[in-house]
């Protein structure tokens, strides 16, 4: 009986951890600098849910930095809005070339932009700092939501597993 209970608890823990791990996966990988620049744009537009990304380009310039250029439109009741563009500029952050920077050249750059422009207009430093803070808060909330969903999924799987009699 004790051995069976340990096995059931171990299986439940394994299911929970697997669900949390899978909940953190976001499918195809987009570089964090591109993702974060998108999050920054969302903090600067009126209706972030209406955004449609039209392009995403990275322009690494060695020690001169990296530019991430995003094309986007805000969808409105009358359809897509005018084409817009945001550019995030990231500083070079690598001390030396490593296996990581050779296999993933964008990893040589900072993950937080030094400057940002939207439609050619630079964001003042305090505005950029506030946008970075808000984007990080939104990313944290999204991570917690995925973790919560993973726990709920694992709980449902465990409950079903126990109710079908496989937990005895």
């Amino acid at each position: 009986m004790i051995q069976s209970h340990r096995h059931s608890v171990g299986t439940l823990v394994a299911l929970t951890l697997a669900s949390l791990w899978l909940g953190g996966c976001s499918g195809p990988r987009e570089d964090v600098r591109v993702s974060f620049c998108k999050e920054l744009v969302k903090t600067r537009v009126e209706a972030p849910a209406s955004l449609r990304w039209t392009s995403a380009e990275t322009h690494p310039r060695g020690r001169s930095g990296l530019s991430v250029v995003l094309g986007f439109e805000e969808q409105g009741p009358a359809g897509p809005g005018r084409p817009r563009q945001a550019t995030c500029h990231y500083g070079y952050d690598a001390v030396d070339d490593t296996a990581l920077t050779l296999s993933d050249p964008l990893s040589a750059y900072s993950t937080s932009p030094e400057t940002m422009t939207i439609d050619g207009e630079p964001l003042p430093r305090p505005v950029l700092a506030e946008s970075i803070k808000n984007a990080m808060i939104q990313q944290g909330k999204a991570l917690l939501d995925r973790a919560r969903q993973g726990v709920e999924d694992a709980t449902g799987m465990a409950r079903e597993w126990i109710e079908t009699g496989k937990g005895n």
Side-chain angles (χ1 to χ4, degrees):
M1 173 70 178
I2 292 174
Q3 188 68 12
S4 175
H5 179 68
R6 284 185 187 161
H7 181 68
S8 297
V9 171
T11 303
L12 180 60
V13 169
L15 286 171
T16 302
L17 291 175
S19 294
L20 287 173
W21 179 71
L22 289 173
C25 295
S26 59
R29 297 287 302 176
E30 178 176 71
D31 185 77
V32 295
R33 290 144 202 89
V34 174
S35 299
F36 195 62
C37 192
K38 286 180 177 180
E39 289 298 320
L40 290 173
V41 170
K42 289 178 185 178
T43 70
R44 305 302 317 154
V45 297
E46 289 183 34
S50 73
L51 284 179
R52 184 176 75 84
W53 303 108
T54 58
S55 64
E57 300 173 4
T58 57
H59 302 282
R61 297 183 316 270
R63 295 191 183 280
S64 297
L66 165 74
S67 294
V68 172
V69 181
L70 302 173
F72 65 98
E73 296 173 343
E74 289 183 81
Q75 301 285 358
R82 66 179 171 82
R84 300 186 67 191
Q85 183 176 357
T87 305
C88 296
H89 302 279
Y90 295 87
Y92 190 79
D93 204 24
V95 176
D96 294 319
D97 284 339
T98 63
L100 177 60
T101 59
L102 293 174
S103 67
D104 178 15
L106 297 185
S107 69
Y109 299 95
S110 174
T111 55
S112 185
E114 295 175 345
T115 62
M116 180 178 182
T117 62
I118 296 183
D119 298 326
E121 294 292 322
L123 266 64
R125 278 199 156 325
V127 173
L128 178 59
E130 183 70 19
S131 295
I132 290 171
K133 179 184 94 171
N134 291 338
M136 291 177 76
I137 289 170
Q138 289 304 313
Q139 285 183 332
K141 287 179 180 178
L143 177 65
L144 290 175
D145 288 345
R146 285 193 307 270
R148 184 179 316 118
Q149 186 62 49
V151 169
E152 289 173 5
D153 292 347
T155 303
M157 287 172 30
R159 184 175 294 120
E160 183 179 321
W161 187 71
I162 290 169
E163 289 172 356
T164 61
K166 295 180 181 177
N168 291 333

